[in-house]
Amino acid sequence: MREIPEHTPLLNGDERPIPPLAAGTIRIIPLGGVEEIGRNMTLVEMGDDIIVIDAGFQFREDDTPGIDYILPNTKYLEERREKIRALFITHGHLDHIGGIPYIIDRIGYPPIYTRELTAVMIRKRQEEFPNLKPLDIHEVKKEDSVKVGNFRVRFFSVYHTIPDSMGIIVETPYGDLVFTGDLRLDHVDGVPTETEEKEFSFFAGRNVLFLAADSTNVERPGFSLPERVVKKNLDEIIATTPGRLVIGTFSSQLERLMRMIEQAERVGRKILVEGRSMKVNIEIVKHLGLLKVSEKTFIDAAQLEHLPDNKVVILATGAQGDEFAALMRIAMKTHKHVKIKKGDTVVLSSSIIPGNERSVQKLKDNLSRQGAKIIHRDTMDVHASGHANRDETFWIHQKINPRFFMPLHGYHYMLRVHADIAKACGRADDEIVVPD
Ligand SMILES: [Zn+2]
Ligand SMILES: [Zn+2]
C-alpha cells in the first residue's frame, strides 16, 4: 500500500494562515469527504476543545491487494493535538474508520467513542497494526450522552447498510451541531416508518445551529429503493433457484448479508463465504449475536462437491470485477474450489462504482460464457443504496431544521445539489457553506 500525500484546502483557503479561534466561536473543518466519497473526517473546535468525527480513508474496493489509499489531511489536528478530546465514529465502513490506524498516532491517541459493532470492527482492523499503542475505545449506546471537554455529545440511530450506524449531536451554548453520518430512510412508498419518525422527533423543538449531512445520492429523485424490496427478491431467489446460486455483493452490505444468510438457513441451503473482508465481517456479527444462525449452516469449500447444487449459496466479494476478488477469480477459472457450470445462477447484488463499468462487463461476460445465468440490478431489484435520495434528504432537512448547513460526503457537484435542497428547505445563501 502506498500513501498519496493529498492536499485538502481548508475552509478559508489554505494559503492564508488560519486565524486563532476567537472566543465564543465554533470552528468546523471537514478534513476530507468533500472532493470525493471516502476519507471522511470533520473536526469541531470551540475554546480549548476539539472533537473529531470519523477517520476514513479513500479506497477503491476491499479485497484488492496493492490499492492506493488517501488519508485526510490531519495537519491542523497535529498542530493542536493537546486540544483533541475525543474521536467519534459514526459507523464501521472503511471510509469512516479506515484512517484510524494511520492517523491515531499523529493525533495523540484520543479516546474513541462509538457503538458496539463499530468498536469491534475498529479493534479487529487494529490487529493488523501491531506496532500501534492500544486504542482507548468507549462503547456507547444510542441513548447515552458523553461529556468531552466543554461539549456534551449525544447520538441518534440512522438507517444505513450496517448495524449500529449513528448520527452525532454536539451540544454547544449556541445550539446543536448535527452530523448525520451516512444514512437513508427506512420507508414504505415514500413514507418514512414510525421508527424514523420517532428517531427524528428528537429534533422537534431543539435549537439546531448547524447540520452536516450525506450528499452521496442527492442527485437521484424521489425516495430510494427500499431494502425491503431487495430482501423480498433475494429471499425468493434463495428459496427458488433450482441450481447452484452465487451472490456477489459488497462486504460492507452487512445488513443484507445477514438477511441472506438467515434466509439460506430457513430454506435449507448451506453457505460458503468467499472473500476475506466478507468472512471477517460475518464472523464479527456472529460473535456479537447480531446474526443468529447455526454454525452448521456454513461450509468450507471442500464440502461443496458433496452437496446437491440446490442446497448451496456461495456469497462472494468482487461484484465490481476487481481482479483478485473471489467472484472474478471464479469467473476467470482461477478459483481453487469454485468453478462455474451450466445451470448456475449468479446474482450481482451491487451497484457499479463509476470507473468499474468495463471490469464488471468482463465479469459478466466470463460468467455467462461458462453457462451462468446472471441477475443484476438492471434486470431485477437486487440492490439498493444506503444513501438518501433527494426527497429523503429533503425530509431529513425539514426534521432537523438547522440554522446553518454544510453538505458532506460527495463530489463537489453533489455538494452543490445538496445545497440547493437546503435552499428549498428555506436556508438562505449565507446560511449554507459548501466546502471547496
Ligand atoms: Zn457508510
Ligand atoms: Zn461513507
Side-chain angles (χ1 to χ4, degrees):
M1 282 202 180
R2 177 165 63 91
E3 179 182 342
I4 303 170
E6 259 272 334
H7 202 56
T8 306
L10 296 170
L11 268 183
N12 59 346
D14 53 349
E15 286 80 25
R16 282 172 285 146
I18 299 165
L21 188 65
T25 307
I26 300 168
R27 183 173 275 164
I28 298 165
I29 307 179
L31 302 172
V34 295
E35 284 299 328
E36 71 274 304
I37 293 175
R39 61 166 185 163
N40 297 287
M41 190 174 197
T42 306
L43 71 85
V44 178
E45 183 178 16
M46 184 181 75
D48 283 328
D49 303 315
I50 290 177
I51 57 174
V52 182
I53 295 165
D54 287 332
F57 72 177
Q58 198 181 344
F59 63 107
R60 285 201 63 235
E61 171 64 75
D62 41 13
D63 281 27
T64 317
I67 53 160
D68 295 333
Y69 62 89
I70 309 174
L71 295 170
N73 182 346
T74 52
K75 187 161 162 277
Y76 188 90
L77 288 174
E78 288 166 47
E79 287 166 354
R80 293 160 183 81
R81 65 190 205 166
E82 75 292 342
K83 291 179 74 175
I84 303 172
R85 304 289 166 243
L87 169 59
F88 291 88
I89 303 290
T90 56
H91 66 291
H93 284 157
L94 279 177
D95 61 324
H96 299 258
I97 69 168
I100 294 174
Y102 306 102
I103 57 114
I104 199 75
D105 191 60
R106 296 187 206 168
I107 65 171
Y109 292 92
I112 298 173
Y113 293 86
T114 193
R115 283 168 82 179
E116 185 184 36
L117 172 64
T118 318
V120 175
M121 293 181 89
I122 293 168
R123 284 199 193 96
K124 183 77 202 163
R125 193 170 147 69
Q126 205 69 9
E127 289 171 9
E128 294 164 31
F129 300 84
N131 303 334
L132 293 173
K133 287 190 218 161
L135 298 178
D136 177 19
I137 303 184
H138 302 247
E139 286 178 22
V140 296
K141 299 241 182 316
K142 179 181 81 97
E143 40 302 312
D144 290 350
S145 79
V146 296
K147 184 105 166 97
V148 283
N150 279 316
F151 295 113
R152 178 161 292 280
V153 180
R154 297 179 186 280
F155 316 103
F156 62 108
S157 270
V158 296
Y159 185 65
H160 187 38
T161 60
I162 180 170
D164 283 359
S165 297
M166 66 176 185
I168 286 167
I169 302 161
V170 183
E171 293 183 4
T172 77
Y174 316 99
D176 296 338
L177 318 175
V178 179
F179 299 83
T180 64
D182 294 4
L183 82 169
R184 59 176 299 191
L185 292 175
D186 188 14
H187 68 94
V188 179
D189 300 328
V191 179
T193 58
E194 280 296 309
T195 315
E196 296 284 20
E197 284 284 359
K198 199 162 160 259
E199 205 60 37
F200 281 86
S201 69
F202 173 84
F203 297 103
R206 299 279 304 186
N207 170 23
V208 178
L209 180 67
F210 171 89
L211 168 69
D214 182 358
S215 308
T216 315
N217 284 346
V218 292
E219 289 173 70
R220 300 186 188 171
F223 274 67
S224 55
L225 176 71
E227 185 66 23
R228 201 174 291 107
V229 174
V230 173
K231 180 188 180 311
K232 188 170 162 284
N233 288 339
L234 290 171
D235 277 359
E236 191 163 323
I237 291 169
I238 293 167
T240 62
T241 298
R244 205 166 51 159
L245 179 60
V246 181
I247 303 177
T249 191
F250 303 107
S251 57
S252 56
Q253 283 282 351
L254 202 41
E255 294 269 10
R256 188 179 305 156
L257 281 167
M258 289 158 67
R259 301 294 90 80
M260 291 194 291
I261 292 166
E262 287 162 354
Q263 171 68 353
E265 182 174 84
R266 266 195 297 273
V267 302
R269 287 183 108 124
K270 301 289 183 195
I271 293 158
L272 173 65
V273 182
E274 283 297 317
R276 200 182 72 90
S277 56
M278 198 179 270
K279 276 186 189 154
V280 168
N281 285 355
I282 290 170
E283 274 311 312
I284 289 174
V285 286
K286 267 162 58 186
H287 173 75
L288 289 177
L290 294 169
L291 176 65
K292 294 187 184 68
V293 289
S294 159
E295 209 46 59
K296 293 197 189 91
T297 296
F298 296 92
I299 56 168
D300 57 41
Q303 293 169 267
L304 203 54
E305 55 181 307
H306 306 298
L307 284 162
D309 286 345
N310 65 355
K311 292 291 170 208
V312 175
V313 180
I314 300 165
L315 297 176
T317 54
Q320 291 300 306
D322 8 322
E323 199 180 343
F324 300 102
L327 197 55
M328 197 57 157
R329 283 185 283 124
I330 292 170
M332 299 298 287
K333 302 186 186 177
T334 55
H335 196 281
K336 240 200 286 179
H337 300 282
V338 186
K339 305 264 180 282
I340 290 293
K341 56 187 181 192
K342 199 166 183 319
D344 286 355
T345 299
V346 178
V347 179
L348 302 178
S349 178
S350 58
S351 57
I352 302 176
I353 294 170
N356 291 351
E357 292 83 359
R358 281 177 66 126
S359 42
V360 173
Q361 190 57 51
K362 191 170 147 198
L363 175 73
K364 287 198 251 179
D365 287 347
N366 281 316
L367 290 168
S368 66
R369 189 171 283 130
Q370 291 162 56
K373 178 189 169 200
I374 298 172
I375 299 172
H376 57 91
R377 64 180 308 198
D378 295 338
T379 59
M380 198 181 198
D381 288 333
V382 289
H383 175 73
S385 165
H387 303 274
N389 280 13
R390 184 187 166 80
D391 288 0
E392 289 161 275
T393 304
F394 192 90
W395 188 92
I396 292 162
H397 275 257
Q398 289 194 311
K399 289 289 175 186
I400 297 179
N401 191 26
R403 170 89 194 282
F404 295 99
F405 170 65
M406 182 190 284
L408 291 179
H409 210 281
Y411 295 96
H412 187 75
Y413 174 67
M414 301 171 183
L415 306 185
R416 291 279 169 200
V417 172
H418 199 168
D420 289 339
I421 296 176
K423 277 180 214 165
C425 288
R427 301 285 76 72
D429 275 331
D430 60 359
E431 292 169 337
I432 299 170
V433 183
V434 178
D436 191 9

